[in-house]
């Protein structure tokens, strides 16, 4: 399936549905539900609330849906599809005039939703963002009889905490819109998990990525489900690419780093530690997206301090301690000396105690020692100089100076992140006088890596692509709506045809069957008067409603209320009244005034 999906056009929305059931929080709104429409990742449910519902004592008369704000939605479409959303918000209301029955039309916007007809085998969507250049770790091979072989070597496989992700590069010049395939092992979309892991992927690639609409495919490549939400960093515009791992054209190290972070999160139960980890990720991605170099550096140093807190818990706010309080905390806290080598304890203790203003530098040093990472002077100097930006003091620097510090800060942050999740592979370095914009970037020599850590490689080979229908075969067969045999509406049609002879063939009447979404819905027929020489000039005199598998007719939009018509006698009596009604004469005479050139 992966080989067949490669190069396939991914839709960005789906068609509207009619609703048969709707539950919003604790309320059953099924009697009032109308439709379900989509626009990209947004799903909107429409309802009409009658006056008797709005007048209930416990409801806010100005906003009858206020008590359900942010609650979940569960609905069923007229074709049996199941719709679920984590949150729903009433975003639009309009009042229905009393002449139309009164009440309120409302629109409910759904967030993080899924529409399912059958369980999908894979989920597919568009991933906004660029992939690293070079060879990936997924080789797609297709062997087609009489046509030879084809290879695709620039794709990637990533192992998440529960799912497997496939990144398929589009074979066109637009590099910022590629294909994301998710193997959820037959499960539904976990919106929180998908958002978290796309944010982690963004950090590992050093740029904001996002996906907001997914299509579920079955094993025959048919669309059987849809899902929408804000996954990743949609609201951050990309600027630079600053990956924490080397951009090696033959070894996609980001796949290894991604797996280490996601696996660590899967076993992390401490909420505050998870929040700190995602704070580090968000600040790092935002730093790469900043346009101004001072803003970029400020967020880079904040990311380093967030990463440092992964090792120094917030049991004490180090930056707010006075000198005396700082000295007491250092002497009473055994964590600092317990991780120091025997020959460096005195040096480390004196260095930390001598700080005039304990803060970012001391926090970073303490975190590096607890993470068993070397105290590189270049990194310590970078954090010391950049932390001035957090003090509010005037700080003049050039773009080149700021960029040099930023490269050091990114390596420092990546080192702390790697130590916290157990990643032993290489990290992107700063040991260049000028950054390389083309080619491979070297790994830092700051850390000793484990040579046994290597990216995993995968080969997917198929003998033939899954059959894809031709464009002509995608359309079903359509038939013009018609009046069923034996219906009383045929008598109305005969009545309509007889009008033209009474107007010298200038005005005619006809019955127009209206399309419906389902064959078991009530059928509607418009009785139309129109000018023969300009059919676009017309008016609907009334509408007939006939329930499914029923001979009875209901007349809608007539000037007076008509009882349900059950037989020919009652229908002829009604049609005699139509022919003699002042409303009919007025409509026919207006159409007689229409000339061939009148618009």
């Amino acid at each position: 399936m992966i080989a067949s999906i490669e190069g396939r056009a991914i839709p960005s929305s789906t068609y509207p549905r009619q609703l048969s059931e709707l539950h919003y929080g604790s309320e059953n709104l099924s009697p009032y539900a109308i439709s379900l429409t989509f626009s990209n990742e947004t799903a909107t449910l429409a309802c009409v609330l009658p006056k008797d519902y709005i007048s209930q004592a416990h409801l806010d008369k100005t906003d009858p849906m206020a008590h359900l704000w942010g609650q979940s939605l569960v609905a069923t479409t007229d074709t049996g599809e199941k719709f679920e959303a984590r949150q729903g918000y009433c975003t639009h209301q309009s009042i229905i005039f009393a002449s139309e029955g009164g009440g309120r039309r409302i629109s409910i916007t759904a967030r993080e939703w899924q529409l399912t007809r059958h369980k999908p085998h894979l989920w597919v969507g568009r991933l906004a963002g660029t992939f690293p250049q070079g060879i990936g770790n997924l080789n797609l091979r297709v062997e087609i009889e009489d046509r030879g072989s084809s290879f695709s070597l620039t794709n990637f496989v990533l192992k998440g905490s529960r799912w497997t992700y496939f990144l398929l590069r589009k074979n066109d010049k637009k590099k910022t819109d590629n294909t994301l395939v998710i193997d959820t092992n037959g499960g539904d979309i976990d919106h929180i998990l998908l958002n978290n892991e796309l944010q982690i992927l963004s950090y590992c690639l050093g740029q904001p990525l996002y996906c907001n609409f997914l299509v579920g495919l079955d094993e025959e490549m048919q669309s059987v489900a849809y899902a929408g939400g804000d996954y990743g960093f949609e609201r951050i515009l990309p600027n630079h690419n600053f990956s924490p791992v080397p951009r090696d054209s033959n070894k996609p190290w980001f796949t290894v780093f991604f797996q280490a972070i996601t696996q660590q999160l899967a076993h992390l139960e401490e909420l505050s530690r998870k929040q700190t980890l995602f704070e580090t990720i968000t600040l790092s991605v935002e730093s790469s997206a900043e346009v101004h170099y001072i803003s970029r550096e400020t967020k880079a140093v904040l990311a380093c301090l967030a990463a440092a807190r992964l090792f120094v818990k917030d049991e004490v706010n180090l930056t707010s301690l006075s000198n005396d309080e700082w000295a007491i905390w250092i002497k009473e806290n055994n964590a600092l000396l317990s991780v120091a080598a025997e020959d460096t304890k005195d040096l480390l203790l004196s260095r930390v105690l001598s700080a005039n203003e304990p803060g970012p530098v001391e926090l970073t040093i303490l975190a590096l020692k607890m993470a068993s990472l070397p105290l590189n002077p270049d990194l310590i100097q970078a954090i010391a100089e950049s932390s001035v930006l957090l003090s509010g003091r005037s700080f003049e620097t050039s773009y080149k100076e700021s960029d040099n510090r930023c490269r050091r800060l990114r390596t420092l942050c990546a080192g702390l992140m790697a130590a916290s999740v157990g990643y032993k592979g290489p990290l992107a370095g700063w040991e260049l006088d000028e950054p390389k914009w083309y080619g491979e970037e070297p790994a830092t020599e700051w850390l000793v890596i484990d040579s046994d850590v290597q990216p995993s490689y995968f080969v997917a080979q198929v003998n033939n692509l899954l059959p894809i229908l031709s464009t002509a075969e995608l359309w079903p067969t359509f038939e013009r709506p018609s009046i069923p045999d034996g219906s009383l509406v045929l008598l109305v049609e005969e009545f309509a045809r007889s009008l033209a002879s009474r107007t010298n063939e200038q005005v005619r009447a006809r019955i127009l069957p209206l399309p419906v979404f389902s064959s078991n819905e009530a059928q509607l027929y418009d009785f139309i008067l129109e000018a023969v020489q300009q059919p676009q000039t017309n008016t609907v005199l009334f509408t007939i409603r006939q329930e499914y598998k029923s001979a009875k007719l209901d007349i809608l939009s007539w000037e007076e209320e008509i009882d349900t018509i059950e037989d020919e006698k009652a229908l002829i009596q009604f049609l005699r009244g139509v022919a003699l009604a002042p409303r009919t004469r007025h409509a026919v005479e207006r159409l007689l005034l229409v000339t061939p050139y009148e618009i």
Side-chain angles (χ1 to χ4, degrees):
M1 284 189 68
I2 300 298
S4 300
I5 290 171
E6 185 190 22
R8 175 190 173 109
I10 307 300
S12 59
S13 189
T14 183
Y15 60 88
R17 269 81 165 172
Q18 298 296 302
L19 293 176
S20 60
E21 294 183 19
L22 173 60
H23 295 265
Y24 186 9
S26 58
E27 296 281 341
N28 182 5
L29 301 181
S30 299
Y32 323 120
I34 298 178
S35 63
L36 172 64
T37 57
F38 303 91
S39 176
N40 295 325
E41 76 276 16
T42 302
T44 303
L45 300 92
C47 300
V48 174
L49 302 180
K51 289 190 298 184
D52 56 351
Y53 178 90
I54 299 173
S55 61
Q56 296 180 78
H58 69 283
L59 296 182
D60 183 343
K61 301 304 181 290
T62 60
D63 186 3
M65 296 284 98
H67 65 297
L68 300 175
W69 182 266
Q71 296 192 35
S72 61
L73 290 161
V74 178
T76 304
T77 69
D78 60 343
T79 56
E81 295 168 295
K82 184 178 181 181
F83 177 85
E84 295 179 291
R86 291 186 64 240
Q87 297 172 323
Y89 302 92
C90 181
T91 54
H92 178 75
Q93 298 188 47
S94 61
I95 298 174
I96 301 174
F97 294 113
S99 60
E100 300 178 15
R104 198 81 56 88
R105 292 187 181 91
I106 65 168
S107 296
I108 305 170
T109 299
R111 290 178 58 88
E112 297 178 350
W113 56 269
Q114 181 172 323
L115 178 69
T116 308
R117 183 166 66 250
H118 302 297
K119 286 290 185 183
H121 187 66
L122 292 175
W123 291 89
V124 185
R126 298 176 181 175
L127 184 64
T130 58
F131 296 165
Q133 299 297 319
I135 297 175
N137 65 336
L138 172 61
N139 181 358
L140 296 179
R141 298 180 180 178
V142 180
E143 300 280 349
I144 302 178
E145 187 176 356
D146 300 329
R147 290 174 55 186
S149 303
S150 65
F151 299 87
S152 179
L153 305 174
T154 58
N155 309 297
F156 302 93
V157 178
L158 300 99
K159 294 287 187 179
S161 58
R162 287 161 36 199
W163 301 340
T164 301
Y165 299 86
F166 302 86
L167 309 183
L168 308 182
R169 192 189 304 277
K170 284 286 187 69
N171 295 321
D172 56 29
K173 295 181 180 180
K174 189 177 180 181
K175 302 294 185 180
T176 58
D177 186 12
N178 298 284
T179 301
L180 170 68
V181 182
I182 310 173
D183 183 359
T184 62
N185 299 314
D188 293 335
I189 287 295
D190 183 330
H191 303 280
I192 296 177
L193 177 65
L194 178 57
N195 179 61
N196 288 347
E197 298 201 338
L198 282 189
Q199 289 188 0
I200 294 171
L201 179 58
S202 298
Y203 169 71
C204 293
L205 288 176
Q207 59 170 309
L209 306 171
Y210 72 88
C211 175
N212 54 25
F213 184 78
L214 294 166
V215 180
L217 303 177
D218 63 13
E219 294 182 353
E220 297 179 354
M221 294 281 290
Q222 300 301 307
S223 301
V224 295
Y226 304 89
D230 297 328
Y231 310 124
F233 290 108
E234 181 176 9
R235 291 171 176 81
I236 302 178
L237 297 177
N239 187 17
H240 298 82
N241 289 7
F242 296 125
S243 175
V245 293
R247 288 202 292 263
D248 190 324
S249 60
N250 294 308
K251 293 185 178 181
W253 291 109
F254 76 94
T255 62
V256 185
F257 203 9
F258 174 84
Q259 183 172 352
I261 298 176
T262 55
Q263 293 296 328
Q264 174 69 16
L265 271 174
H267 300 93
L268 200 59
E269 297 181 358
E270 189 177 347
L271 179 59
S272 61
R273 189 171 176 83
K274 286 183 179 180
Q275 292 173 337
T276 302
L277 190 145
F278 277 104
E279 180 185 354
T280 305
I281 288 173
T282 301
L283 287 168
S284 297
V285 174
E286 288 182 350
S287 173
S288 68
E290 286 291 345
V291 176
H292 196 273
Y293 62 92
I294 293 296
S295 300
R296 196 179 309 145
E297 184 179 356
T298 301
K299 290 190 174 180
V301 71
L302 288 173
C304 285
L305 297 180
R309 291 203 306 276
L310 293 170
F311 296 92
V312 182
K313 296 182 180 180
D314 291 331
E315 297 171 352
V316 59
N317 186 356
L318 300 179
T319 60
S320 66
L321 296 180
S322 66
N323 290 342
D324 292 340
E325 290 172 329
W326 172 253
I328 293 172
W329 185 83
I330 287 297
K331 291 178 180 178
E332 292 180 351
N333 193 294
N334 295 324
L336 179 64
L337 299 182
S338 64
V339 298
E342 192 64 35
D343 57 347
T344 62
K345 283 184 178 181
D346 294 338
L347 176 62
L348 178 61
L349 183 59
S350 62
R351 169 68 183 87
V352 175
L353 281 171
S354 65
N356 293 326
E357 294 182 2
V361 175
E362 287 69 33
L363 175 64
T364 304
I365 291 174
L366 182 58
L368 289 172
K369 293 302 296 184
M370 298 187 73
S372 301
L373 297 175
L375 297 178
N376 186 285
D378 287 347
L379 301 181
I380 301 301
Q381 181 182 2
I383 198 74
E385 294 176 358
S386 297
S387 60
V388 176
L389 294 171
L390 308 181
S391 66
R393 297 198 300 268
S394 177
F395 183 63
E396 295 184 3
T397 186
S398 67
Y399 174 86
K400 183 176 181 180
E401 292 171 339
S402 177
D403 187 67
N404 286 335
R405 287 192 296 270
C406 270
R407 286 188 281 121
R408 289 164 171 77
L409 292 174
R410 292 187 197 105
T411 302
L412 172 59
C413 180
L416 291 170
M417 175 71 80
S420 70
V421 300
Y423 171 74
K424 302 293 185 182
L427 298 176
W430 74 91
E431 297 92 339
L432 288 174
D433 293 333
E434 295 290 340
K436 281 189 176 181
W437 302 109
Y438 302 98
E440 300 176 7
E441 293 184 351
T444 179
E445 297 179 357
W446 171 44
L447 302 176
V448 177
I449 65 173
D450 186 348
S451 59
D452 293 333
V453 175
Q454 296 292 331
S456 299
Y457 292 86
F458 304 87
V459 176
Q461 181 169 335
V462 293
N463 293 328
N464 274 296
L465 298 176
L466 289 176
I468 298 178
L469 297 176
S470 68
T471 54
E473 293 174 333
L474 294 175
W475 289 106
T477 300
F478 294 95
E479 296 181 357
R480 180 185 176 88
S482 61
I483 302 172
D485 294 337
S487 172
L488 286 173
V489 182
L490 290 174
L491 188 60
V492 183
E493 186 180 41
E494 181 182 343
F495 167 75
R497 285 198 300 265
S498 65
L499 174 64
S501 63
R502 301 301 181 96
T503 63
N504 196 24
E505 303 296 334
Q506 294 182 65
V507 177
R508 66 188 175 197
R510 63 188 179 96
I511 299 296
L512 178 65
L514 301 180
V516 293
F517 282 94
S518 175
S519 59
N520 60 0
E521 286 187 17
Q523 179 68 61
L524 298 177
Y525 304 90
D526 280 346
F527 188 96
I528 298 176
L529 301 177
E530 61 188 16
V532 174
Q533 293 179 326
Q534 285 203 357
Q536 70 271 22
T537 305
N538 58 55
T539 183
V540 177
L541 200 60
F542 59 85
T543 301
I544 303 172
R545 175 188 173 96
Q546 185 174 29
E547 293 291 343
Y548 176 62
K549 290 185 177 180
S550 173
K552 300 177 182 180
L553 304 181
D554 291 312
I555 307 301
L556 310 177
S557 305
W558 185 236
E559 58 187 8
E560 59 184 31
E561 186 174 345
I562 303 297
D563 294 335
T564 298
I565 296 174
E566 300 185 5
D567 53 33
E568 289 187 14
K569 181 179 179 180
L571 178 58
I572 291 174
Q573 183 178 353
F574 164 70
L575 295 178
R576 180 182 296 112
V578 170
L580 300 176
R583 175 181 174 184
T584 304
R585 175 175 292 277
H586 181 266
V588 171
E589 290 178 348
R590 285 183 62 88
L591 291 170
L592 286 170
L593 295 173
V594 175
T595 67
Y597 307 101
E598 185 175 345
I599 298 178

